[in-house]
Amino acid sequence: MLKDFKPVLSILLRFIIIYLVLLFAYQFYLNSFKESGLDPYSRSIAEQIATIQNKIGYTTSLYNDVSKEQVWFYVNEKYVSRMVEGCNAISVIILFTAFIFAFYKGTKTFVFIAVSLLVLYIMNILRIIGLNIVTRDHPEYNRMVHDYVFPAVIYGSVVILWLVWIKFFALKNENS
């Protein structure tokens, strides 16, 4: 009976191991910057968002709140949101990557992950810019877009990429 479940258990075990390794590595990374405020990757994301917002007409500056490990976005003379570690989408990327590697298919796995991570990176940048603009121009919608709309954008992107991976790459030979 265990032979019937061996492929599923193998995929599940690969997912769990890869997920935990990536999660612990990321936690180690975060812990190494605990004293200096927001981690460098999250700070870099905030700076890129500020640059893009400045180019599209939303004058943006950043306020680094080291003690609380956050960076505030000051947009058109108003504090609109803050960047914390959870906004960088790394936890979503770790989950995504572990899932894709669980269905490992050689070199195309690495190519698909690279392209997908670029897509998720762009979606996350656009998500935070959208949140800043909505919060600045229509603060009455802040809670809705922060709690529902923009999480649906990033998680929806992950699910679509997973489905593409499974349908067109991971199970392609099995469906033939």
Side-chain angles (χ1 to χ4, degrees):
M1 183 169 132
L2 192 55
K3 286 182 184 179
D4 295 336
F5 294 110
K6 189 175 180 183
V8 173
L9 292 175
S10 174
I11 289 170
L12 185 60
L13 185 61
R14 268 194 309 240
F15 170 79
I16 290 170
I17 290 170
I18 293 166
Y19 179 76
L20 289 176
V21 166
L22 292 174
L23 189 65
F24 286 129
Y26 181 55
Q27 192 57 54
F28 178 77
Y29 164 80
L30 289 176
N31 289 343
S32 66
F33 295 102
K34 203 75 165 154
E35 301 300 320
S36 60
L38 193 61
D39 66 281
Y41 178 73
S42 299
R43 188 182 330 270
S44 172
I45 296 288
E47 290 167 358
Q48 292 167 39
I49 290 164
T51 299
I52 293 168
Q53 287 179 179
N54 281 321
K55 288 185 180 186
I56 63 172
Y58 285 88
T59 305
T60 303
S61 56
L62 302 174
Y63 169 71
N64 191 13
D65 187 353
V66 174
S67 65
K68 294 184 180 165
E69 298 178 26
Q70 61 189 3
V71 171
W72 284 90
F73 290 100
Y74 188 67
V75 181
N76 291 349
E77 302 178 9
K78 182 180 177 186
Y79 285 106
V80 295
S81 67
R82 62 192 175 100
M83 176 84 175
V84 296
E85 174 271 325
C87 299
N88 67 17
I90 293 294
S91 58
V92 173
I93 288 170
I94 289 171
L95 183 66
F96 172 81
T97 302
F99 179 84
I100 300 300
F101 272 121
F103 292 89
Y104 183 78
K105 294 293 179 182
T107 306
K108 63 183 168 184
T109 306
F110 292 97
V111 173
F112 186 81
I113 286 176
V115 170
S116 297
L117 293 183
L118 179 62
V119 169
L120 292 175
Y121 172 81
I122 291 168
M123 293 303 292
N124 191 51
I125 295 285
L126 294 175
R127 175 183 75 92
I128 297 169
I129 290 170
L131 179 62
N132 284 341
I133 290 171
V134 168
T135 302
R136 174 64 185 101
D137 294 345
H138 305 283
E140 65 274 16
Y141 297 114
N142 176 294
R143 176 73 60 201
M144 181 184 66
V145 297
H146 180 271
D147 293 351
Y148 304 109
V149 175
F150 289 121
V153 167
I154 197 73
Y155 289 114
S157 299
V158 166
V159 169
I160 289 168
L161 289 167
W162 279 344
L163 293 172
V164 167
W165 173 251
I166 294 299
K167 176 142 179 79
F168 298 106
F169 298 100
L171 298 180
K172 188 171 184 176
N173 294 339
E174 287 85 350
N175 291 337
S176 299

